[in-house]
Amino acid sequence: MGLIGLIFGWPLAPVKAVIRLGELIQEQAEQELHDPAVVRRRLEEIERSRADGLITEEEEALQMRQVLQSMTGGPG
C-alpha cells in the first residue's frame, strides 16, 4: 500500500503543500490578530491620532470599537 499510495499521491503533493501553506498563513494571521501587543499598539496609534487632531472623537470611538471587536471575535 505504501508504494501504491506514493505513486498515486505524488501528483497531489503540490495541492497538499498549497493547502498547508494556506493553513499556516491563516494560523499566523489569527495569532497576530489576537496578540495583545499588536492590539495595544493599534489602540495607542488611534489615541495618538486623536491627540494630534487627525481624527474626530467619533472616528476614534469607531476605530477602537473595531479593533476590540476584531480581537474578541465580536460582530463587525
Side-chain angles (χ1 to χ4, degrees):
M1 181 77 179
L3 182 59
I4 293 173
L6 180 63
I7 291 172
F8 289 112
W10 189 257
L12 295 177
V15 174
K16 291 179 181 179
V18 169
I19 291 171
R20 182 62 186 140
L21 179 61
E23 291 171 347
L24 289 172
I25 292 171
Q26 180 181 3
E27 290 171 9
Q28 183 67 28
E30 288 177 0
Q31 183 179 13
E32 287 182 18
L33 181 66
H34 299 298
D35 182 10
V38 172
V39 173
R40 181 178 176 183
R41 210 170 15 253
R42 180 65 185 130
L43 292 173
E44 288 173 351
E45 289 173 5
I46 294 169
E47 289 177 352
R48 200 171 313 117
S49 295
R50 174 68 179 123
D52 293 343
L54 300 174
I55 60 174
T56 66
E57 189 174 332
E58 292 81 19
E59 290 171 325
E60 176 189 25
L62 175 65
Q63 289 181 15
M64 285 190 163
R65 195 173 327 116
Q66 289 173 342
V67 169
L68 294 174
Q69 284 176 345
S70 68
M71 184 183 95
T72 60

